[in-house]
Structures are given as C-alpha cells and as structure tokens.
Amino acid sequence: MPYLRVTCPPLPAERKRHIAGQLTEAVNLLFFSPRGGPTREELRERTTIHFTEYGGDDLYIGGRSSGERGVTDLTVELSDWNMGVCQQRRVARHLTPLLARLFGVKDPDNVNLRFHSYPPTAFAAGGRLLADRVPRIGQAMKKLQG
C-alpha cells in the first residue's frame, strides 16, 4: 500500500492536510487498477502521507543549507509493492509538477522522488502478508501494469 515520506520545510497543519489530500487523490489515480487489487476506497484508506520537516540548518546540498541557497528542496520517498519501471516513470511525470505546485518549488530539479518497490511478501498488515491479502490475479496485473 502506498507510503509517501515527504521531506520538506515546516508547514502549518492546514497546508499539510491540503497537500496530503491532493497527494492521496493523485496516488489513487496513478495506482488504482480496475483489473484487480484494492478498490479506490481501500487504496485511499491505505495511502499514507508522512511529513518529515527540516529546519533552515537541517538540510545541506553542496555544503550549503537550504536557507543559504534560498531554494526549497523537496524529497518524496514512495514505497509500494511491485512497482515496475514504467509505473515509476508515469508516477514521476505526474507527481513532479504536482509537488512543485503544492510546495511552490520553481525548478522541478529540486523535486526528488525516490522509489522503494518491494515484493508483496515483504509487507504485512494486521498480521497478514500482503501476498496473502491480494489475490494472485491482482498481483499479476500489478506486475503487468508497471
């Protein structure tokens, strides 16, 4: 199930709520498959957005802090099972401009996506492996999708 860890400058709670809603909907559009797997509502309810904020002296690029550089740097680590390269490309093309808009990042090169794909045997929820929760046809369709 999609997990996004967003490393960003500090934000007010209401802005984080708005961004989380926008990202959840985008992930739902990108990851939903009508051929098998979770429903749209199940996917929405299992999409996690985790904000990890950095202060002016917490993140350095090229030996300079983001404050010194005067640039917002954003990294999103996206974890999900069986993400293929085609799906990662599609996600990167779609999420990068959305993230830039949501965070006011002018240069898309300052938006970084890091993908963590794992087999459905490497994740358990509620004491059950994902491989045991998702029918084999859903697993096969997700592999074909990516």
Side-chain angles (χ1 to χ4, degrees):
M1 300 300 161
Y3 171 85
L4 288 78
R5 180 169 49 194
V6 180
T7 303
C8 62
L11 299 169
E14 197 52 44
R15 184 141 177 240
K16 285 192 270 192
R17 185 179 331 286
H18 171 74
I19 290 169
Q22 295 288 307
L23 290 176
T24 299
E25 290 310 310
V27 165
N28 197 290
L29 290 171
L30 289 164
F31 284 75
F32 174 73
S33 173
R35 294 181 238 153
T39 66
R40 285 192 185 278
E41 187 58 32
E42 289 169 333
L43 183 58
R44 185 176 291 108
E45 288 303 313
R46 296 208 180 268
T47 299
T48 302
I49 312 294
H50 176 189
F51 291 93
T52 303
E53 299 175 334
Y54 63 84
D57 294 326
D58 293 332
L59 182 69
Y60 287 77
I61 298 174
R64 295 182 307 155
S65 71
S66 58
E68 292 170 326
R69 295 174 65 236
V71 174
T72 298
D73 285 285
L74 182 67
T75 298
V76 175
E77 296 179 60
L78 197 156
S79 302
D80 197 32
W81 61 284
N82 282 355
M83 279 189 295
V85 173
C86 289
Q87 184 177 25
Q88 291 172 351
R89 283 188 182 109
R90 189 174 75 245
V91 168
R93 279 193 313 267
H94 184 80
L95 284 188
T96 298
L98 174 64
L99 288 162
R101 182 177 56 78
L102 290 172
F103 285 90
V105 176
K106 293 176 181 43
D107 184 352
D109 282 347
N110 291 2
V111 176
N112 305 290
L113 294 174
R114 182 175 303 136
F115 296 101
H116 302 284
S117 184
Y118 53 86
T121 55
F123 182 85
R128 291 178 55 207
L129 287 177
L130 188 57
D132 297 335
R133 295 180 138 217
V134 177
R136 291 208 187 277
I137 186 68
Q139 292 178 43
M141 295 310 293
K142 183 152 183 181
K143 271 189 179 177
L144 289 174
Q145 181 182 17

